[in-house]
Amino acid sequence: MNPQPFVQNTPRVLIINPNTNRHVTDSIQTLIHHLAPAGVVTEVTSPAQGPTAIETDRHKLEATQHVLALIAQRKEEGFDGYIMACFDDIAIAQARALTQAPVISLAEAGIRYAAASGGLFTVITTFDEAVPTIEALSTTYGLSERCRVVATGIGVADTAAQTERAEARLHEAIQEAIRLHSAAIVLGSGAFAGRAKALQQRYGVAISDGFAEALKYTLNAPYTQKG
């Protein structure tokens, strides 16, 4: 995606979609355009090569390599923060070792947002294989006892395309989370980019996809991160 015009001393944030699905990247670009505060320059991009969906350990390894190569190539441009637009820990630790700017994933931003509700919360992800990874991340953040993770069983591409089956599964998962008294819901995939606001208005429960929270973090982190 084309970056916004550079302005001297203006905060600049690079948002990286680690998969190469152009539809997902475009959806993220549209969302970030509406979320970014005035005076903040954002750029949404993805590696030139890599998997179109990250659904296996092999996909994750390949995507990590390409994301790190992208950051290494562009870190001298002086970004003030980086957002990994996926619900995983892909390249997070390594990226923090590459740059002193804040780095955060949608997973950390979204889960910490939901935890602030003070009660139980549900993360709704896409494919079933993502569930153990997200559960492990919630444990890392010390929030596993309050975090319920479920999958729609639909892949990233169909979720992003909002197919009839994907939509039906998403709404079923939201309704079940509400029935189980979740105080907040997190949409656990970059494929859900831009959906949170409308779904929150429809269901009357706090719903986040992690993007707004990740952006706030990168712009307000009180210190730089190191490895």
Side-chain angles (χ1 to χ4, degrees):
M1 305 298 296
N2 293 327
Q4 298 173 25
F6 174 74
V7 180
Q8 188 68 31
N9 298 323
T10 296
R12 303 174 68 228
V13 179
L14 187 65
I15 301 95
I16 301 174
N17 171 24
N19 69 54
T20 56
N21 185 314
R22 183 60 181 267
H23 182 74
V24 173
T25 304
D26 288 347
S27 296
I28 294 170
Q29 174 64 57
T30 300
L31 175 61
I32 292 296
H33 175 75
H34 292 290
L35 289 178
V40 174
V41 174
T42 59
E43 179 181 349
V44 179
T45 189
S46 63
Q49 302 176 43
T52 57
I54 303 168
E55 299 178 349
T56 67
D57 288 341
R58 182 177 178 180
H59 291 157
K60 182 174 178 177
L61 179 61
E62 183 180 358
T64 296
Q65 293 171 340
H66 290 298
V67 167
L68 293 175
L70 174 62
I71 293 175
Q73 180 182 16
R74 302 201 56 187
K75 67 177 183 176
E76 299 305 322
E77 296 178 36
F79 289 102
D80 296 282
Y82 297 83
I83 296 172
M84 296 300 160
C86 63
F87 223 84
D88 205 328
D89 59 352
I90 290 172
I92 293 295
Q94 301 95 320
R96 288 172 174 169
L98 278 175
T99 174
Q100 293 185 340
V103 179
I104 195 167
S105 67
L106 297 184
E108 183 171 359
I111 288 174
R112 292 196 185 283
Y113 154 83
S117 67
L120 300 175
F121 60 92
T122 296
V123 176
I124 300 173
T125 189
T126 51
F127 55 98
D128 295 317
E129 291 79 4
V131 171
T133 296
I134 297 172
E135 289 178 336
L137 289 173
S138 71
T139 298
T140 298
Y141 308 144
L143 297 168
S144 59
E145 292 184 359
R146 295 168 51 201
C147 179
R148 170 177 172 264
V149 185
V150 298
T152 62
I154 307 295
V156 170
D158 284 348
T159 298
Q162 297 182 33
T163 65
E164 182 177 351
R165 185 163 172 259
E167 288 297 282
R169 292 287 186 86
L170 171 61
H171 288 283
E172 288 170 5
I174 293 174
Q175 291 164 6
E176 178 68 1
I178 293 171
R179 188 184 72 79
L180 295 175
H181 306 293
S182 292
I185 295 171
V186 186
L187 303 177
S189 171
F192 291 122
R195 306 293 308 279
K197 183 177 180 180
L199 290 169
Q200 178 168 296
Q201 291 174 340
R202 175 172 177 173
Y203 287 105
V205 63
I207 299 179
S208 171
D209 53 21
F211 281 97
E213 293 72 31
L215 190 58
K216 288 176 184 177
Y217 175 82
T218 59
L219 295 174
N220 296 294
Y223 54 87
T224 57
Q225 301 178 75
K226 299 182 180 179

